Amino acid sequence: MLKISRDPFLRFTTLILITSSLFSYGTEARLHYYNDIHNPNSYPEPPYSSFSQSQPPSISPDPDDLSQPPSPCQDLDQEVVHDVRNYGAVGDGITDDTDAFKTAWDSACSNDEDNNTVSILLVPFGFTFVIHSTIFTGPCRSYQYFQVDGTIVPRDGPEPWPSGFNKRQWLVFYRIEGMALIGNGVIDGRGQKWWDLPCKPHRNVNKTTALTGPCESPAALRFFMSSNLSMQGVTIKNSPQFHMTFDGCHEVHINSLRITSPPSSPNTDGIHIENSNSVEIHNSVISNGDDCVSIGSGSYNIDILNLTCGPGGHGISIGSLGNQNSRACVSNITVRDSFIKFSDNGVRIKTWQGGSGSVSGVTFDNIQMDNVRNPIIIDQYYCTSKN
């Protein structure tokens, strides 16, 4: 069932109303320093989701998993802070600080000093840290804060990407059971050189046909098989491909997040959700070159509130679903009190011919649009090559 509004005439009027939307951002940042260095541990690697490709990453061979799940953290009364500089990170924007981040994460994740303890991995303000393709693995023994007050970047473009490291994902969080990504800092994917690959030219007014060639590009942030996640305050920008993806996740709370890339940047979905449930996206701004939010198969109980999409992009999309005659189901999706501007589409449901399944329990309520080509579009013959 698709419910556009409770009062069709009034909601239609509201949908085409030209408005503006302002957001204020606030996040609490705590700057701490921690000098105790622990020994690193190795962890397993996540398999791929259907949005990416077929082979798993090959970053840490022969890993050993933690033997015990994390303890519940209620009435927290102690913080253990792991400043990445105390683990060898330089933060000069040139030196590769991956090992320092991994060591700091392993130390924070294995912290078991007290059941009422949280661990804070601190990326301090005023520094730029270079990290290559990395997997941060749980479960951890305490609740984790990944506090980004500085800047995190990958190596600049596909050429300096380390040989043997996966080019389809950059920062991966796997099997995390309780984590908050917070701070006033920036995660910058340095996407320009990836967008300029021959297979992915910039979109322009003439819609230039893409040329053949290598086209692997990493998603900036990927959360896989994780739960009890929170994101607030951080800016994520210029991802080579998707900015943030959730696959197999439960209980995700996103608030006051900013995602940005140029309107011409290809395949730069803001937030992609797949095989996940109980996801909230509130009070955030996404301006990019593809779907503002894309909701894939196996997703249900998704709540989007007070979201601004644009300028640029393809709006809020359910799908595409049912590619290659597959079965796909999505249910209980609510998009309300949001604003979409200067976009190809507003709210969209797209399914492939030959697929099967259902899209049900969808509510689009009080969505205001400004200069949107297709305010509401339901396409059951979706095909990327058709005119």
Side-chain angles (χ1 to χ4, degrees):
M1 177 180 65
L2 174 66
K3 299 189 295 181
I4 300 301
S5 70
R6 292 180 294 275
D7 186 329
F9 176 78
L10 292 177
R11 292 308 183 202
F12 176 78
T13 303
T14 304
L15 279 168
I16 62 173
L17 181 64
I18 298 177
T19 66
S20 61
S21 180
L22 296 175
F23 288 94
S24 62
Y25 290 87
T27 185
E28 296 181 358
R30 294 163 291 182
L31 294 179
H32 303 278
Y33 300 92
Y34 183 65
N35 296 313
D36 188 18
I37 300 178
H38 300 274
N39 292 327
N41 296 311
S42 297
Y43 300 107
E45 302 165 359
Y48 266 89
S49 67
S50 61
F51 94 85
S52 56
Q53 303 299 321
S54 58
Q55 297 184 1
S58 54
I59 295 180
S60 300
D62 302 321
D64 295 319
D65 195 1
L66 286 175
S67 60
Q68 298 181 10
S71 301
C73 292
Q74 298 180 353
D75 300 325
L76 302 173
D77 56 13
Q78 184 178 356
E79 297 174 351
V80 180
V81 181
H82 304 260
D83 187 328
V84 294
R85 291 178 300 168
N86 292 335
Y87 294 83
V90 178
D92 60 1
I94 300 173
T95 305
D96 192 315
D97 291 319
T98 305
D99 290 343
F101 270 73
K102 285 291 291 180
T103 304
W105 172 266
D106 292 343
S107 180
C109 187
S110 61
N111 170 54
D112 58 357
E113 295 182 10
D114 192 308
N115 285 342
N116 290 330
T117 297
V118 297
S119 293
I120 301 174
L121 188 152
L122 177 63
V123 182
F125 173 78
F127 298 88
T128 297
F129 300 93
V130 178
I131 306 178
H132 60 61
S133 183
T134 305
I135 301 174
F136 301 99
T137 306
C140 298
R141 297 182 186 274
S142 63
Y143 193 89
Q144 302 295 303
Y145 281 92
F146 200 108
Q147 182 170 330
V148 180
D149 289 330
T151 300
I152 301 175
V153 298
R155 297 188 184 183
D156 191 10
E159 289 297 327
W161 199 266
S163 176
F165 284 79
N166 197 281
K167 289 186 177 180
R168 300 189 184 101
Q169 55 191 24
W170 177 30
L171 304 177
V172 181
F173 294 87
Y174 173 50
R175 294 182 60 207
I176 307 299
E177 298 176 5
M179 191 193 95
L181 175 65
I182 61 171
N184 294 313
V186 176
I187 299 175
D188 184 351
R190 286 179 161 180
Q192 185 66 59
K193 292 181 180 179
W194 299 89
W195 306 331
D196 288 343
L197 288 172
C199 63
K200 296 192 302 185
H202 289 294
R203 295 189 196 91
N204 55 44
V205 294
N206 296 320
K207 301 290 183 182
T208 303
T209 303
L211 303 175
T212 59
C215 215
E216 294 179 330
S217 301
L221 286 167
R222 181 186 176 204
F223 294 86
F224 181 62
M225 292 182 62
S226 297
S227 63
N228 191 17
L229 304 173
S230 177
M231 290 88 199
Q232 181 172 350
V234 176
T235 295
I236 305 167
K237 69 177 187 178
N238 297 332
S239 178
Q241 200 177 33
F242 293 3
H243 285 79
M244 177 179 285
T245 73
F246 298 91
D247 189 355
C249 294
H250 172 69
E251 292 291 345
V252 179
H253 307 280
I254 298 172
N255 191 43
S256 299
L257 201 69
R258 187 176 189 90
I259 295 175
T260 178
S261 63
S264 60
S265 58
N267 304 117
T268 53
D269 290 32
I271 299 173
H272 176 74
I273 304 165
E274 186 173 346
N275 298 313
S276 298
N277 65 83
S278 302
V279 179
E280 295 179 346
I281 304 172
H282 292 178
N283 308 316
S284 297
V285 176
I286 300 175
S287 174
N288 61 329
D290 211 299
D291 290 338
C292 176
V293 176
S294 56
I295 301 171
S297 179
S299 299
Y300 60 94
N301 295 344
I302 311 298
D303 183 60
I304 299 174
L305 171 68
N306 197 22
L307 175 67
T308 293
C309 296
H314 296 168
I316 299 171
S317 294
I318 297 174
S320 59
L321 305 174
N323 191 17
Q324 297 181 343
N325 301 321
S326 62
R327 179 172 177 80
C329 294
V330 171
S331 63
N332 297 339
I333 311 297
T334 300
V335 182
R336 54 201 169 102
D337 301 337
S338 294
F339 182 43
I340 302 174
K341 58 184 178 180
F342 298 95
S343 174
D344 284 348
N345 304 299
V347 288
R348 176 167 63 156
I349 301 173
K350 48 183 178 177
T351 64
W352 286 83
Q353 60 280 10
S356 63
S358 66
V359 176
S360 62
V362 178
T363 298
F364 300 144
D365 185 15
N366 190 32
I367 303 171
Q368 304 179 35
M369 306 197 188
D370 180 4
N371 282 284
V372 174
R373 182 180 301 170
N374 303 302
I376 302 172
I377 179 169
I378 302 175
D379 183 357
Q380 292 188 269
Y381 201 89
Y382 180 72
C383 179
T384 55
S385 61
K386 70 180 179 182
N387 292 325

